[in-house]
Amino acid sequence: MANQEDIFKKVISHAKEYGYVFQSSEIYDGLSAVYDYAQNGVELKKNIREYWWQAMVQLNDNIVGIDAAIFMHPTTWKASGHVDAFNDPLIDNKDSKKRYRADVLIEDHVAKIEAKIEKEVKKAAKRFGDSFDKEQFLATNQRVLDYQTKVDGILKRMGKSLENEDLADVKSLIEELEIACPLSGSKNWTDVKQFNLMFGTKLGASADSAMDLYLRPETAQGIFVNFLNVQKTGRMKIPFGIAQTGKAFRNEIVARQFIFRMREFEQMEMQYFIKPGTQQEWYEKWKEKRMKWHLSLGMGEDNYRFHDHEKLAHYADAAADIEFRFPFGFKELEGIHSRTDFDLSQHEEFSGKKLQYFDPEENKSYVPYVLETSIGLDRMFLAVFSNSLKEEELENGTTRTVLKIPAVLAPTKAAVLPLLKRDGLPEVAHKLIDELRWDFNVIYDEKDAVGRRYRRQDAAGTPFCVTVDHQTLEDETVTIRHRDTMEQQRVKLSEVKDIISKEVDMRYWLQKI
Ligand code: GAP
């Protein structure tokens, strides 16, 4: 079996070869951690955004959307705490001169211990066969328990040191764990220092009068500053939500892992405004709701897990990540944060304007609490794309590369293929395309033998191929081939649209939530 690194390399090259993701300004050798979405990528991204929007806005009476500007008044970022607290703890290796996020070095060390636990589990599962009880094994095996105690101890200490801004202890922890620079293997580290992640820019023409601005590092603040506008104009009653998708910018230092960690990326966020004291209940509800959204795509329950935060962000009283099994291991895909009244109270203080809700049931005004769900669109893209890419051994001994993107998200839903380029078959194919394109993206492909065309569409992620042949001219039937099973069925031309629609319509997928 190929190792994780090889699989990930394959994902990146496949994304380029099949028109999903290109490096930004590639002809100038690219820009680190900045990427462009290509002709298929833009469609997949749009479909994921739409799948999120329908689930969050269209299907919830009490959630509405906005689209706030990327530029915001600079005081926003003072109030939100980003100017003072949106930092990463960085450490340099003196020999390789490479800079790392100190917490990531420690987390990578922890991941290695966790990998040992998984190895023990796999070994035991093999030994005990059907009678293996994973829960019991995790709770009783001494070696696993020792590893787990180690993991818990490290994370707890790191969380505490970061929370107390005790950067000297973060460095001590790195030294005690004997963490070496992945590049040079050296343990010769500088002190840990804080580094602000926001990109600065200027508004205005003349140097003297120009105003310092930041590119927003999260979309959430555009929602907070509009809270009262939306509540009043939409006559919203608590609990209610405001959702938004849009670009965010962070000067990431650990800029690797393809589109997992980018400097310019897109978020899909929702702030749910609630009565103070109900945050625990909503925190649990939204954790469950968001996990159901993920599972509805059928990408495998085993590929997701919750991870409670050790170190809480400056605004949160509880936070968890939904982690996904990426090709490089389980990593954060989405965050669910109980943000208390931190943001609205801060904006009240810095703007001098009241940001309160009059609760008719309580007959009083208060600053609402906020429950946030925040997912990176690019990360979701990577989750879908990497999980879908498969090399399958076929019965005839050959292999096929197939991109099993959930049909509802696939960029192109069907390819229409005339068996031959003559005898009137292309004309029938074009006529079918003209009918189907009103409902979904469909392409025409007449080059090469039909088997090769099937393979090409498999690799591009197209869930259906419709083949027009001589029999079509006689009885108005075509063959539909299903990408995932490679099954073929003979159906009436007039049924094609309904058969495909049924499987790609968001309604059928979102009903599972
Ligand atoms: N408003 C809360 C917030 O921004 P976050 O955990 O910093 O929270 C939320 O970010 C989500 O945004 C993450 O779970 C991740 O999916 C995505 N994200 C964050 N930084 C990213 C980056 N540099 N590149 C791509 N996605 C990123």
Side-chain angles (χ1 to χ4, degrees):
M1 209 182 92
N3 67 31
Q4 287 190 337
E5 209 170 306
D6 289 342
I7 294 172
F8 193 38
K9 275 192 191 146
K10 180 107 218 295
V11 166
I12 297 170
S13 65
H14 197 88
K16 178 170 181 201
E17 193 180 341
Y18 284 88
Y20 278 85
V21 182
F22 300 149
Q23 200 178 11
S24 159
S25 21
E26 195 192 67
I27 58 166
Y28 295 106
D29 297 331
L31 191 61
S32 158
V34 186
Y35 291 90
D36 296 340
Y37 287 89
Q39 65 276 16
N40 283 323
V42 71
E43 296 289 340
L44 172 57
K45 202 172 167 200
K46 188 186 74 185
N47 292 342
I48 297 173
R49 195 189 292 113
E50 182 61 20
Y51 196 68
W52 182 87
W53 192 267
Q54 287 204 11
M56 300 299 277
V57 180
Q58 194 171 323
L59 294 176
N60 284 296
D61 285 341
N62 63 346
I63 301 182
V64 292
I66 65 165
D67 182 16
I70 286 171
F71 291 137
M72 298 184 69
H73 192 283
T75 308
T76 309
W77 308 110
K78 268 254 150 232
S80 67
H82 284 82
V83 171
D84 296 323
F86 195 53
N87 301 316
D88 270 350
L90 299 185
I91 190 166
D92 292 353
N93 184 269
K94 289 184 191 162
D95 297 314
S96 67
K97 310 274 183 261
K98 272 290 281 179
R99 181 165 278 189
Y100 297 95
R101 255 176 65 180
D103 55 333
V104 171
L105 279 180
I106 297 170
E107 277 168 7
D108 284 351
H109 181 83
V110 163
K112 282 186 194 147
I113 307 176
E114 285 175 336
K116 287 184 187 164
I117 299 180
E118 274 207 29
K119 211 165 159 192
E120 291 294 332
V121 170
K122 268 197 192 136
K123 253 178 20 196
K126 211 164 160 193
R127 199 165 62 236
F128 294 115
D130 286 347
S131 63
F132 181 60
D133 181 338
K134 187 173 167 187
E135 296 291 310
Q136 196 193 357
F137 180 75
L138 288 175
T140 53
N141 180 276
Q142 196 51 48
R143 199 172 293 167
V144 167
L145 288 174
D146 290 346
Y147 284 140
Q148 196 56 51
T149 311
K150 227 186 220 171
V151 166
D152 294 344
I154 296 170
L155 290 178
K156 197 161 169 214
R157 177 159 158 207
M158 180 179 82
K160 207 166 146 213
S161 313
L162 288 173
E163 199 145 326
N164 298 336
E165 294 273 319
D166 185 354
L167 300 180
D169 192 56
V170 177
K171 183 181 178 187
S172 303
L173 184 57
I174 288 175
E175 286 173 338
E176 282 165 37
L177 295 172
E178 299 191 355
I179 295 176
C181 164
L183 207 68
S184 63
S186 131
K187 294 171 195 158
N188 195 7
W189 296 108
T190 61
D191 288 341
V192 179
K193 289 201 188 85
Q194 292 289 18
F195 174 85
N196 194 286
L197 294 178
M198 284 196 292
F199 280 106
T201 186
K202 291 202 181 289
L203 179 104
S206 86
D208 308 337
S209 62
M211 191 184 208
D212 284 319
L213 290 188
Y214 294 106
L215 298 186
R216 66 180 177 197
E218 61 171 8
T219 57
Q221 297 304 324
I223 291 179
F224 289 124
V225 300
N226 278 302
F227 152 74
L228 214 52
N229 283 340
V230 173
Q231 189 271 319
K232 292 216 158 112
T233 55
R235 292 183 291 125
M236 310 300 288
K237 287 200 173 61
I238 271 177
F240 74 91
I242 306 178
Q244 167 167 231
T245 69
K247 287 273 172 109
F249 303 82
R250 296 181 189 179
N251 198 358
E252 297 282 3
I253 292 305
V254 188
R256 53 188 160 103
Q257 298 168 331
F258 193 37
I259 55 172
F260 180 82
R261 198 179 302 285
M262 298 157 90
R263 297 201 161 109
E264 173 182 342
F265 58 100
E266 191 164 336
Q267 290 187 312
M268 305 191 288
E269 298 201 297
M270 193 276 302
Q271 325 312 128
Y272 204 65
F273 297 90
I274 55 178
K275 201 190 278 190
T278 62
Q279 66 267 34
Q280 185 62 28
E281 175 196 332
W282 285 112
Y283 176 63
E284 296 303 334
K285 271 193 192 151
W286 277 106
K287 271 172 74 174
E288 192 190 323
K289 261 175 175 281
R290 292 303 304 148
M291 186 58 101
K292 277 194 177 163
W293 180 85
H294 286 284
L295 296 180
S296 71
L297 287 168
M299 297 202 299
E301 232 171 288
D302 285 357
N303 288 326
Y304 300 86
R305 69 180 188 195
F306 283 112
H307 173 254
D308 293 326
H309 283 206
E310 295 293 329
K311 181 199 173 215
L312 292 174
H314 58 274
Y315 49 73
D317 75 351
D321 294 335
I322 294 178
E323 292 189 336
F324 184 77
R325 196 196 300 266
F326 287 98
F328 36 83
F330 270 104
K331 293 271 180 228
E332 172 186 351
L333 171 59
E334 170 158 7
I336 291 133
H337 311 129
S338 172
R339 287 183 82 129
T340 67
D341 59 355
F342 175 83
D343 302 86
L344 290 180
S345 300
Q346 287 288 104
H347 287 305
E348 272 202 325
E349 191 184 323
F350 279 75
S351 68
K353 313 253 162 58
K354 278 216 171 314
L355 290 175
Q356 302 198 354
Y357 169 77
F358 177 75
D359 190 328
E361 282 167 25
E362 303 264 322
N363 199 27
K364 66 170 191 200
S365 295
Y366 54 77
V367 178
Y369 269 40
V370 172
L371 200 289
E372 163 183 81
T373 70
S374 174
I375 175 169
L377 176 48
D378 313 86
R379 256 183 219 186
M380 185 63 196
F381 184 112
L382 183 59
V384 171
F385 192 87
S386 59
N387 188 258
S388 303
L389 185 59
K390 316 266 183 217
E391 291 281 340
E392 284 184 352
E393 302 271 337
L394 301 181
E395 274 173 13
N396 64 8
T398 61
T399 55
R400 72 161 180 157
T401 302
V402 54
L403 197 55
K404 292 185 164 177
I405 296 179
V408 65
L409 302 179
T412 303
K413 304 304 186 196
V416 181
L417 324 172
L419 190 62
L420 299 174
K421 283 188 231 173
R422 52 182 160 76
D423 302 340
L425 302 183
E427 286 76 5
V428 178
H430 281 301
K431 202 168 154 227
L432 179 60
I433 285 184
D434 283 341
E435 191 201 326
L436 298 180
R437 73 163 99 248
W438 291 98
D439 294 278
F440 35 77
N441 285 343
V442 18
I443 60 163
Y444 176 80
D445 190 0
E446 62 171 22
K447 195 168 176 291
D448 300 321
V450 78
R452 281 189 73 169
R453 281 182 266 171
Y454 284 156
R455 289 288 179 277
R456 188 153 60 226
Q457 296 304 328
D458 284 347
T462 312
F464 301 97
C465 284
V466 183
T467 306
V468 175
D469 55 20
H470 291 95
Q471 197 183 326
T472 313
L473 304 178
E474 285 164 25
D475 63 5
E476 301 222 316
T477 63
V478 286
T479 304
I480 290 195
R481 174 185 178 272
H482 297 251
R483 175 197 65 196
D484 295 351
T485 58
M486 295 192 292
E487 266 168 17
Q488 302 192 13
Q489 36 170 175
R490 195 85 204 170
V491 303
K492 289 210 183 89
L493 255 178
S494 56
E495 291 169 347
V496 172
K497 192 187 97 184
D498 282 351
I499 291 172
I500 298 175
S501 292
K502 213 171 151 213
E503 295 204 34
V504 302
D505 191 342
M506 292 210 175
R507 161 192 279 247
Y508 292 96
W509 294 74
L510 286 169
Q511 270 172 351
K512 294 177 214 157
I513 295 180

